């Protein structure tokens, strides 16, 4: 079974990051379109979501970014940029669905988890350390390798990995890998 991105064969929208930081495109009505070529009711909904995100708005202010179109599209890049089969905007409900997107700057971005989404799990979320641990576990690294990579003692890493498994409801590393793939931590 092949899951197609939203907007190719349905009426929803899938927004995706381009190779240019902060610039997006979308699949909509069977075509790839520029972000600002989407209908205004869609971009307005995304703008509302962006402006309601107080932490993210503070980062734009700190960085001296004031142009609304730049703010909205950059926010979309950080929070909707993953290309997948789950719509980022559902046309029937007007719902904007934030997602975890690994932009390649994770772990190096001064605005990580301030401008972009954390991984929400039930009524909690994964911290940056838990997210990194889950990603490394899903890549098949051994406990010692993960501890070295993260600069932790092995006993601390084991405790961290247990917390990750508990939060996401995983019984083992295979469950972690399946979960990580479904949530955009690994391809």
């Amino acid at each position: 079974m092949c899951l197609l991105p939203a907007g190719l064969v349905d009426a929803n929208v899938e927004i995706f990051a381009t190779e240019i930081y902060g610039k997006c495109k979308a699949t909509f009505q069977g075509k790839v379109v520029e972000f600002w070529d989407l209908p205004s009711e869609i971009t307005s909904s995304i703008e509302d979501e962006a402006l309601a995100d107080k932490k993210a708005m503070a980062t734009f202010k700190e960085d001296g970014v004031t142009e609304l179109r730049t703010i909205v599209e950059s926010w979309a890049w950080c929070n909707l940029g993953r290309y997948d089969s789950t719509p980022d905007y559902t046309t029937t409900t007007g719902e904007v669905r934030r997602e975890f997107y690994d932009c390649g700057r994770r772990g190096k971005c001064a605005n990580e988890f301030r401008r972009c989404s954390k991984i929400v799990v039930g009524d909690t979320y994964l911290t940056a350390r838990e997210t990194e641990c889950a990603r490394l576990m899903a890549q098949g690294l051994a406990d010692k390798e993960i501890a070295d990579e993260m600069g932790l003692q092995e006993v601390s890493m084991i405790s961290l990995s247990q917390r990750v498994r508990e939060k996401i409801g995983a019984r083992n590393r295979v469950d972690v890998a399946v979960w990580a793939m479904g949530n955009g931590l690994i391809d």
Side-chain angles (χ1 to χ4, degrees):
M1 180 170 134
C2 177
L3 296 175
L4 295 173
L8 284 182
V9 295
D10 63 20
N12 297 315
V13 179
E14 177 62 24
I15 295 167
F16 59 95
T18 68
E19 64 281 354
I20 302 168
Y21 175 70
K23 295 294 181 185
C24 296
K25 293 192 178 198
T27 52
F28 178 65
Q29 295 184 335
K31 298 181 275 196
V32 173
V33 298
E34 297 294 327
F35 181 81
W36 291 107
D37 290 340
L38 289 166
S40 62
E41 65 268 11
I42 296 171
T43 56
S44 291
S45 289
I46 294 167
E47 179 181 317
D48 291 345
E49 287 287 320
L51 294 175
D53 187 340
K54 300 300 181 204
K55 274 188 182 176
M57 291 307 105
T59 68
F60 289 112
K61 185 176 182 179
E62 289 167 12
D63 292 346
V65 179
T66 58
E67 207 269 310
L68 184 60
R69 287 174 64 104
T70 300
I71 290 169
V72 172
E73 190 170 5
S74 294
W75 183 91
W77 194 89
C78 293
N79 291 283
L80 308 171
R82 184 171 138 219
Y83 194 61
D84 60 16
S85 60
T86 305
D88 297 324
Y89 178 85
T90 305
T91 54
T92 55
T93 63
E95 178 188 4
V96 176
R97 183 185 164 275
R98 292 173 69 159
E99 60 196 358
F100 179 84
Y101 167 56
D102 188 351
C103 63
R105 299 175 64 201
R106 296 273 180 179
K108 300 178 277 273
C109 181
N111 292 314
E112 185 171 14
F113 295 134
R114 293 177 63 219
R115 191 174 287 177
C116 60
S117 295
K118 293 181 180 182
I119 297 179
V120 176
V121 184
D123 60 354
T124 188
Y125 61 88
L126 295 187
T127 66
R129 298 286 271 178
E130 291 166 344
T131 301
E132 180 66 5
C133 180
R135 187 181 66 77
L136 295 170
M137 287 172 66
Q139 289 176 345
L141 273 66
D143 289 346
K144 173 114 176 70
E145 293 172 308
I146 296 171
D148 290 346
E149 178 82 20
M150 295 183 70
L152 299 171
Q153 296 293 323
E154 193 169 351
V155 68
S156 297
M157 199 303 296
I158 291 168
S159 175
L160 179 62
S161 68
Q162 181 178 358
R163 203 166 51 245
V164 168
R165 285 193 307 277
E166 287 172 3
K167 280 187 175 182
I168 67 173
R171 294 178 311 248
N172 52 44
R173 285 176 175 256
V174 172
D175 289 349
V176 172
V178 169
W179 180 89
M181 189 174 282
N183 282 279
L185 270 67
I186 61 170
D187 292 326

